[in-house]
Amino acid sequence: MSETFDVVVAGAGPVGLMLACELRLAGVEVLVVERLTEIDRTIKAGAINVPTAQAFDRRGLLPELLAHQQAAVERMKAFTGATAGAANRPPIAGHFAGIMLSFDLIDAEDPAFAGVGPAGRAVLVSQQGIEEILGARAAELGVVVRRGVHLTDLTDHGDAVTVRCRADESSGGEESSRSGEIRASWLVGCDGGRSTVRKLAGFDFPGIGPEITGRQAVVEMSETEGLQPGWHDTDHGIYVYGPTPGRFLTVELDGPPVDRDAPITAAELEASLRRVAGVPVRVSAVRSATRFTDNTRQVPDYRKGRVLLAGDAAHVHSPFGGQGLNLGIGDAVCLGWKLAAVVDGRMDERLLDTYTAERYPIGAWVLEWTRAQVALMRLDRRSKALRAVMSELLSTGDGATTVFKRISGVLHRYHLGGDHELVGTIVPDRDLSDGTRVAEHFTSGQGVLFDFADSAELRAAAAPWQDRVRIVTAKPLAASDETGVGAAAGVLVRPDGYVAWAATEGVEGVTTALTRWFGR
Ligand SMILES: Cc1cc2nc3c(=O)[nH]c(=O)nc-3n(C[C@H](O)[C@H](O)[C@H](O)COP(=O)(O)OP(=O)(O)OC[C@H]3O[C@@H](n4cnc5c(N)ncnc54)[C@H](O)[C@@H]3O)c2cc1C
């Protein structure tokens, strides 16, 4: 007999774990199957953006992010302190195709940054840090995570899905409960760029093929005197040295790797770094290494019957600009509460259509920006000339601020309709008159109606939804903005932090928004 769950999530990467936590928080019975027996320590994402940090903050996980960041800062200090010249570089807010954005140039007073709140302090958190935090949270919440288990097949019956799994013999545990069939109402493929779920379910995956080979590694090496910390474009490609000891990245624009699955050797890494940097380094041992390309693809619809995709399973692109993990976390946060409401029977399946509608455009934007960055890395003279123009623009306050606003994620919007400028934005985080902060009201995973004008009429209008929407009566402090939260009388926020309704007075439209997002 097969086991049953409400939702099976394939993959315990950052996206699968985030989704599982969101589902479980809403009471869903969720199983995560992960083929690896432990967290993948291969070097990947090293930083997070504002919406990711805010999503963690809303679930009470900001202290964990900051603790991981502190450890990363200590490691970096050890490296930069030991490296001549590094201390004099300006602090860097990010980059576009390796053209650095200096923090000093960015206009911190730009209104787009006004609602970031303390989550904005969490930036340098690695992918492994994210997975550790989410793994611990998943365990606390009672998510069933089975490691060493491969999803190998699936059948969508129309009203349920059957998945078939194979357990690694080496992974231990009760083989019989780990291999075999599992039946679920829904399956979500969070199984990465080469997603088995995507292939088995037959999703289209249009886009453009790769033209570069990137290598990122942490190694033991010597003869490094000629390497300069930071990002460098040379006549043979790009190399980045640091920001921690032994870490480097190379980009060569001579096509994709011949065999992406071949083991990455010290000889391959040494040869690549020598070619690109022109420095006769010696690589003696590989601690962690990965190859990447600029294969750029996105599924047109993130749902096919009872199967959904999130994270790299739904979109792949080069890592330039550091967006992939953030994009996937955003998918998980958007999907989690919606799928939970559908599983619970409170909401119609049509709510899931809004998942693709909201997430596809942000994914498409990320893909375009990564394509543009690869174009700026090309070695021909025209591309180099264009890169020089872009460098000049990004050395201005307006240029750096414009690009940083995009890559930090503070401009993310969903097109939810409604007249008020806050609708479709992430709710600005503000201190409130009752001593709390806006973000602190989301730890239970429910929606929140902020009753900023102490309006009995607004509370009465929302009363029928009180089992799924918390009502908070308090005023925002430091309300200097005349049109945003500071001037709003009421703001209805979905569990994912996005504003569904807002008004400067009255309650018009609030019951429509409550019904649309939280059911009748
Ligand atoms: C060099 C590099 C640098 C990067 N830098 C950044 C950055 O700075 N910022 C950023 O935001 N992003 C960055 N990224 C991108 C980021 O790493 C990915 O976008 C992120 O890992 C996607 O998360 P995911 O959970 O969707 O997929 P993954 O992390 O790939 O997780 C998928 C999981 O599914 C499991 N799995 C696969 N198939 C199966 C199966 N059949 N059965 C069971 N389990 C399965 C895998 O083992 C894996 O654990 C970088 C990527 C690379 C390669």
Side-chain angles (χ1 to χ4, degrees), residues 104-276:
D104 295 343
L105 288 172
I106 290 164
D107 177 9
E109 301 303 314
D110 189 290
F113 302 121
V116 167
R121 299 205 311 265
V123 180
L124 284 176
V125 187
S126 70
Q127 181 154 339
Q128 285 78 19
I130 293 289
E131 291 180 35
E132 282 168 20
I133 294 168
L134 291 175
R137 174 51 58 100
E140 262 170 45
L141 291 169
V143 175
V144 183
V145 181
R146 285 188 195 147
R147 287 188 168 272
V149 176
H150 303 236
L151 185 150
T152 54
D153 202 2
L154 67 91
T155 308
D156 183 346
H157 307 285
D159 59 349
V161 196
T162 300
V163 300
R164 277 165 285 280
C165 294
R166 175 177 49 77
D168 277 349
E169 280 172 25
S170 58
S171 66
E174 284 294 317
E175 181 88 3
S176 58
S177 78
R178 302 165 66 84
S179 294
E181 285 194 356
I182 301 156
R183 202 174 163 90
S185 301
W186 299 89
L187 167 66
V188 189
C190 301
D191 50 344
R194 301 192 210 177
S195 169
T196 304
V197 172
R198 185 184 68 229
K199 290 171 193 157
L200 289 173
F203 282 86
D204 290 338
F205 203 35
I208 58 172
E211 65 174 44
I212 67 165
T213 297
R215 296 175 179 88
Q216 182 165 237
V218 181
V219 299
E220 280 173 30
M221 58 181 171
S222 55
E223 323 286 324
T224 57
E225 291 74 21
L227 292 180
Q228 296 299 318
W231 188 293
H232 308 278
D233 58 306
T234 72
D235 289 341
H236 305 282
I238 301 267
Y239 85 90
V240 186
Y241 182 39
T244 46
R247 180 172 173 168
F248 73 87
L249 177 147
T250 58
V251 179
E252 294 181 78
L253 294 102
D254 55 355
V258 178
D259 178 2
R260 275 206 72 180
D261 297 319
I264 307 175
T265 62
E268 175 184 339
L269 294 168
E270 180 181 285
S272 178
L273 193 49
R274 284 180 172 209
R275 275 194 299 272
V276 177

Side-chain angles (χ1 to χ4, degrees), residues 10-16 33-36 40 43-47 127 131 149-152 190-193 195-196 216 249 290-292 310-313 317 319 321-328:
V15 178
V33 291
E34 165 57 56
R35 66 182 175 187
L36 301 178
D40 182 3
I43 184 166
K44 289 187 201 162
Q127 181 154 339
E131 291 180 35
V149 176
H150 303 236
L151 185 150
T152 54
C190 301
D191 50 344
S195 169
T196 304
Q216 182 165 237
L249 177 147
T290 181
R291 289 189 200 92
F292 60 85
D312 279 11
H317 52 83
Q323 296 290 331
L325 180 148
N326 297 303
L327 192 55

Side-chain angles (χ1 to χ4, degrees), residues 338-415:
K338 293 176 182 173
L339 187 54
V342 172
V343 165
D344 185 53
R346 271 180 286 132
M347 297 295 286
D348 191 270
E349 274 180 43
R350 278 173 301 180
L351 180 64
L352 297 176
D353 296 342
T354 66
Y355 169 51
T356 300
E358 291 170 9
R359 296 306 302 169
Y360 183 90
I362 295 183
W365 166 76
V366 166
L367 264 58
E368 283 303 281
W369 271 49
T370 58
R371 285 178 181 129
Q373 291 181 74
V374 172
L376 279 185
M377 290 176 190
R378 288 185 178 142
L379 301 173
D380 62 283
R381 282 192 62 185
R382 290 181 182 87
S383 302
K384 291 233 173 219
L386 187 58
R387 187 179 178 87
V389 172
M390 194 67 184
S391 299
E392 200 175 322
L393 286 173
L394 294 186
S395 67
T396 66
D398 282 351
T401 305
T402 300
V403 170
F404 184 64
K405 281 196 296 190
R406 297 302 296 264
I407 63 176
S408 65
V410 296
L411 296 182
H412 285 353
R413 298 277 181 280
Y414 294 157
H415 299 289

Side-chain angles (χ1 to χ4, degrees), residues 53 187 192 296 306 367 387 416 467 517:
L187 167 66
T296 313
R306 290 261 155 183
L367 264 58
R387 187 179 178 87
L416 305 184
D467 61 332
W517 298 112

